[in-house]
Every structure is written in structure tokens, then in C-alpha cells.
Amino acid sequence: MTACFVATDTTGQIAGFYTLASSSINLSDLPEENAKKLPRYPSVPAVRMGRLAVDERFKGLGLGGAMLADALARILSAEIAAYALVVDAKDEAAVAFYRHHGMMAFASSPKTLFLPMAVAHGLVG
Ligand SMILES: CC(C)(COP(=O)(O)OP(=O)(O)OC[C@H]1O[C@@H](n2cnc3c(N)ncnc32)[C@H](O)[C@@H]1OP(=O)(O)O)[C@@H](O)C(=O)NCCC(=O)NCCS
């Protein structure tokens, strides 16, 4: 149950894609510094990026970063609120990619990372 966004080259071949779906974050999973600024509900709304991938031919050209920025811009311009973007990294290289872009891992789940939209607004907005 996701929306899939696809980047194509000039011939229509798939260069990369990502998916977004609605999600939530348990307040107890957030660092205290983040949680203390939020209402005392058990969870806060979020958007989950389940998959992000770039075709081998297009790796290292900025497409992965551009698609991450595209996802953040979509969430920022949506009329439904989300506290953060959440991603599921498939391996340590993916964790490093997301950390490089300022995302933070959950202590309880090191391959799941998040970026508060308030921070994203400063980067993309
Ligand atoms: C991870 C992936 C999406 C990156 O896409 P990409 O188009 O090659 O990355 P970009 O060229 O946009 O890189 C953007 C920035 O991230 C950095 N970066 C790329 N891969 C990185 C990694 N594994 N670790 C740390 N930084 C990384 C680049 O150096 C670049 O830095 P800069 O903007 O400061 O110059 C791509 O390698 C991929 O499809 N991997 C397989 C699937 C995957 O792991 N997806 C992750 C989610 S599960």
C-alpha cells in the first residue's frame, strides 16, 4: 500500500524510484530531545519511504539525493501533516547514505532512520 514515484531518462527507461506511505512513530522511540517538543500522544504521524533505488547506470550522479529531496518536497507541500520522514535502510551502505543526508537512526532499530520535517523545511524549503 504505497505510492511509487519513478524517475525516467529521456527514452523512458527507469532510472530510479521511491515509494511513500503513511506511517507513525511511537513517541517512546524518539530521542527525548525530539519527543519533549511534541504533544503527549502515544504516536505522531509520519511518512515512510519503503524503497529508494537508483539504476546502476545512474548511480553517483545525484539522482538518489534528488529523489530524497523530491520526497521531502512532496511531504512539505502536502495538506496533511507529518512530523517526520521515516526510512527503512536495507543495509549499512544505505544507512550511511541516509546519515549523509542528516537522518537519525532510532536507538531501538538502527536501520530505521528519521528526519523531522521541521529540519527538512530548512534544507529543502
Ligand atoms: C543509495 C542510493 C539510492 C544512492 O543513490 P545515488 O544516486 O548513487 O546517490 P547520489 O549520487 O544522489 O549521492 C548523493 C550524496 O550521497 C552520497 N552517498 C551516496 N551513497 C552513499 C553511501 N552509501 N554512504 C554515504 N554517502 C553516500 C554521495 O557522496 C553524495 O554526496 P554529496 O551530495 O555530498 O556529493 C543508490 O546507491 C542505490 O540505489 N543503492 C541500492 C538501493 C539502496 O541501498 N537503497 C537505499 C534504501 S533501502
Side-chain angles (χ1 to χ4, degrees):
M1 299 301 295
T2 62
C4 185
F5 299 90
V6 180
T8 59
D9 68 11
T10 50
T11 67
Q13 295 288 304
I14 293 173
F17 67 92
Y18 67 87
T19 64
L20 295 180
S22 62
S23 186
S24 65
I25 301 172
N26 290 331
L27 219 56
S28 57
D29 287 337
L30 285 170
E32 176 57 27
E33 188 187 333
N34 298 82
K36 73 181 180 195
K37 298 175 191 154
L38 295 169
R40 300 276 106 192
Y41 295 122
S43 64
V44 288
V47 173
R48 177 170 242 100
M49 179 181 269
R51 289 282 178 275
L52 165 72
V54 171
D55 186 281
E56 291 292 341
R57 295 170 300 154
F58 294 91
K59 278 187 183 172
L61 301 176
L63 183 57
M67 288 197 295
L68 182 57
D70 186 67
L72 293 169
R74 282 179 201 280
I75 301 164
L76 286 168
S77 64
E79 292 183 351
I80 300 173
Y83 165 67
L85 173 69
V86 177
V87 298
D88 296 308
K90 70 175 183 122
D91 54 27
E92 289 305 324
V95 170
F97 171 78
Y98 289 125
R99 280 193 181 280
H100 179 79
H101 288 88
M103 302 193 77
M104 294 163 278
F106 289 105
S108 57
S109 174
K111 283 191 188 154
T112 306
L113 299 92
F114 73 99
L115 183 69
M117 295 314 299
V119 177
H121 187 266
L123 300 174
V124 181

